[in-house]
Amino acid sequence: MKKIFIVAVLTSSLVDIALAHAQQNFISRDGVESKEIEDRIQISMSEDEFLKKRTALIIKHSHHDNTFAALQKAMEDEDTLSGEFWRWKIDQYLYGQYTEFQPIYDAYKQGRTFLDIYDIPNDPFIDRADPAPVLPKLPDGYFSGYLPMNRTPGESHYADGKIYVAYEGDLTDPYIASYDVETNQWEGPYKAGHNTLSKNGRKTDGHGNPTMQQDVDGYFHITFGGHGGEREDGLNPLSIDTAHAGGRFTHVVSDKPNDISSFSQKHDVSPFASYAESSKMPNGDMYFFTRAGTHKSPWVYYKLKSGSQTFDPPVIITWPTSHKNDPMKVDMFYIKIFKASDTDILVTAMNHLCNFKEIHTKRHDDRFNAYYMRLDTNNDTFYNVKGDKLTLPITKTQADKHTLVYDSVSAGTIVNDTRGLVLQDGKPAMSYELRFPEPREWKMATFAGNAWKTGQPMPGTTVWTLADSDSKPIDAIVSLEELSSDGKKATAAVIYKNSKKETVFAIAKSNKSTGVVGQNWVVESDHLALTGAGMQMKTVRNDAGDAVGVVVNVSKGKARRLYLWHDGKIRPRL
């Protein structure tokens, strides 16, 4: 038997109703009586005591926070999700928004499982796995197995003559491999940890792809696996949103320096976090930025100081806020980082207008605006573009006032992504991707004269030309990354679409005979080509900024593999 109690919100009379309901109403589970359950678990706080304290806090804060009333109404009007689900939602909101509830809930939870507290055997937001598809053949030359979800080229790093690549492999577990540029030999891939995200019959979820850094002592650090946490981990102290996607965020460290063959877990990060990005500074400090939970959660960063193997406690950057006139709607952010110098990390963001019912459109037309901040790692302080110090955490209202770059609401557009930029002229800059109107397009914003100038083309995109080896123009340039240039000649990696409707990865050259160096390119050699394929690439560079290789993700249908180009060839793992 498990006691079921309702949520009291606004008046003291509701407290009496709730307490009576808790004392008199029961639901039988497997014929086990309430007393037997209480005997089975070690209880630090009874349900009656917990209910009194919980209800008192809800009444206290409902006088100034109408989110409780909105969530209570959603529970009463429920037609698709259960009332138990909304009770869980209310508990999480109270737990994340008001820290005084945390020790109360933690005492009550001790000795109880999730299903002892909430009658929610099935999570309505977790999709079940599809039957294994028949995968189309991809070109030879790959070094990875089939990737389950991600189309990114993974995380790459170069050190001491080796290219290291960490990626999301079989069943979304993290894998790492290395390629020796002198001997042309591969090592690995090795499984670096266990990802709970796509296990136990759940649909493959690619949000837990790994980040990788190597510290000053040679140890490799990989974080992976998070998309909001597992509900069995309890409530999230850094969120107002329940865990509903699964996956524990995890930090593992190599057991030996400069050795990727085995890793051990460090229990120094929140299991609820997701969407990690990292940056290593020249002084050896490393910064890992992540969202602290599911959608309605703040963004934080973890700092790993030079010489340490564990993270400092997280620093909260943003905080989600409910709308006053409709508290079911919540403003949060998506953050991206870009290392701009030896001491500065650019932090750009877009606004995500989320909701407690988790209703999202396929077009993602709930994402707006572009924002710009700078983290000075000398003092770990955030500044806006004018150099004004920002007070953390930042809400949507504060972001609009101090860090807004592009107002997509006024422009009638939808923003899909952001990224910091560094320009040769030194002007502060960022980029943002417009999802609507179609087609998707990246735009640049620069700051000069005390104002942002938005809607500019990305650097170089208006002047690039590409021709094939027969000097025939190629119009469909997907992406181009310059690998080297001495002013007289240049080399680039390029992905383009040819007249056969193939997607092609190639190396191109530019010199005075092709036109303007760095603008007019001619394909020198094709290396990968596939009809109906998608490709993404990432250049691997050494500490001096010189390109030593290119990692390419080739995808067709649900088949994806990674390839490495180095020194003129695709390097297969034999």
Side-chain angles (χ1 to χ4, degrees), residues 196-256:
T196 66
L197 189 54
S198 300
K199 303 299 194 299
N200 300 319
R202 290 187 285 201
K203 187 175 182 179
T204 300
D205 186 332
H207 289 84
N209 53 298
T211 64
M212 174 183 61
Q213 294 289 348
Q214 188 177 21
D215 66 27
V216 293
D217 297 315
Y219 291 91
F220 289 89
H221 296 257
I222 297 177
T223 63
F224 66 92
H227 196 199
E230 303 288 352
R231 62 186 194 176
E232 290 77 14
D233 293 326
L235 300 183
N236 184 353
L238 288 178
S239 182
I240 59 172
D241 193 14
T242 51
H244 59 248
R248 290 186 177 95
F249 188 64
T250 306
H251 173 210
V252 296
V253 182
S254 61
D255 292 326
K256 299 177 182 178

Side-chain angles (χ1 to χ4, degrees), residues 221-223 249 251 266 268-269 286-288 301-305 308-314:
H221 296 257
I222 297 177
T223 63
F249 188 64
H251 173 210
K266 298 289 184 181
D268 56 352
V269 294
M286 297 189 292
Y287 293 78
F288 287 69
Y301 75 79
Y302 289 91
K303 181 177 180 178
L304 195 146
K305 295 175 183 175
S308 175
Q309 286 198 13
T310 56
F311 288 114
D312 289 346

Side-chain angles (χ1 to χ4, degrees), residues 452-477:
W452 285 100
K453 182 180 179 182
T454 60
Q456 301 176 72
M458 292 290 288
T461 57
T462 59
V463 295
W464 282 339
T465 66
L466 181 66
D468 64 19
S469 55
D470 296 325
S471 300
K472 294 180 180 178
I474 297 171
D475 295 327
I477 303 174

Side-chain angles (χ1 to χ4, degrees), residues 166-167 173-177 189-195 210-211 220-224 250-255 260-265:
Y167 60 93
D173 288 326
Y175 284 78
I176 183 170
Y190 299 106
K191 182 178 173 180
H194 176 76
N195 185 358
T211 64
F220 289 89
H221 296 257
I222 297 177
T223 63
F224 66 92
T250 306
H251 173 210
V252 296
V253 182
S254 61
D255 292 326
I260 61 171
S261 61
S262 63
F263 287 78
S264 296
Q265 182 175 347

Side-chain angles (χ1 to χ4, degrees), residues 232-509:
E232 290 77 14
D233 293 326
L235 300 183
N236 184 353
L238 288 178
S239 182
I240 59 172
D241 193 14
T242 51
H244 59 248
R248 290 186 177 95
F249 188 64
T250 306
H251 173 210
V252 296
V253 182
S254 61
D255 292 326
K256 299 177 182 178
N258 307 305
D259 185 337
I260 61 171
S261 61
S262 63
F263 287 78
S264 296
Q265 182 175 347
K266 298 289 184 181
H267 298 278
D268 56 352
V269 294
S270 167
F272 301 101
S274 56
Y275 295 121
E277 282 192 300
S278 63
S279 185
K280 180 182 176 182
M281 312 312 287
N283 67 356
D285 291 345
M286 297 189 292
Y287 293 78
F288 287 69
F289 289 71
T290 180
R291 193 175 68 190
T294 40
H295 286 139
K296 292 167 285 297
S297 302
W299 284 78
V300 304
Y301 75 79
Y302 289 91
K303 181 177 180 178
L304 195 146
K305 295 175 183 175
S306 180
S308 175
Q309 286 198 13
T310 56
F311 288 114
D312 289 346
V315 175
I316 302 173
I317 306 168
T318 67
W319 192 262
T321 49
S322 298
H323 284 208
K324 291 293 184 182
N325 58 344
D326 184 359
M328 292 298 287
K329 296 180 179 179
V330 180
D331 280 311
M332 52 80 71
F333 298 91
Y334 281 104
I335 274 180
K336 289 293 179 69
I337 67 169
F338 181 83
K339 182 180 172 182
S341 70
D342 288 349
T343 58
D344 287 348
I345 298 174
L346 301 185
V347 181
T348 59
M350 66 178 175
N351 165 232
H352 179 197
L353 178 56
C354 199
N355 60 85
F356 278 107
K357 289 191 174 183
E358 296 300 332
I359 298 172
H360 306 283
T361 66
K362 290 185 178 179
R363 199 178 71 175
H364 292 299
D365 50 4
D366 50 8
R367 302 181 182 192
F368 309 102
N369 300 350
Y371 303 88
Y372 175 100
M373 298 178 286
R374 176 178 61 87
L375 171 62
D376 184 342
T377 61
N378 286 313
N379 53 16
D380 290 337
T381 300
F382 282 81
Y383 299 90
N384 67 7
V385 71
K386 296 180 180 179
D388 300 326
K389 182 178 178 180
L390 299 172
T391 301
L392 303 182
I394 295 169
T395 63
K396 168 68 162 48
T397 299
Q398 294 166 322
D400 286 345
K401 183 177 181 180
H402 300 293
T403 67
L404 181 64
V405 174
Y406 173 68
D407 185 347
S408 69
V409 178
S410 298
T413 60
I414 298 170
V415 174
N416 188 63
D417 203 356
T418 65
R419 184 65 73 180
L421 289 175
V422 172
L423 302 181
Q424 290 184 347
D425 62 10
K427 290 181 180 178
M430 70 168 290
S431 58
Y432 54 93
E433 184 188 28
L434 296 179
R435 190 185 187 101
F436 179 82
E438 296 288 354
R440 292 192 188 190
E441 185 178 15
W442 280 91
K443 294 290 186 180
M444 178 176 67
T446 56
F447 187 81
N450 208 38
W452 285 100
K453 182 180 179 182
T454 60
Q456 301 176 72
M458 292 290 288
T461 57
T462 59
V463 295
W464 282 339
T465 66
L466 181 66
D468 64 19
S469 55
D470 296 325
S471 300
K472 294 180 180 178
I474 297 171
D475 295 327
I477 303 174
V478 178
S479 58
L480 186 150
E481 293 186 13
E482 191 172 283
L483 303 180
S484 64
S485 177
D486 61 7
K488 296 180 180 180
K489 60 183 184 302
T491 303
V494 61
I495 297 173
Y496 70 92
K497 294 184 181 294
N498 64 18
S499 58
K500 300 177 185 178
K501 297 184 179 180
E502 293 176 320
T503 304
V504 182
F505 167 76
I507 299 300
K509 63 181 180 180

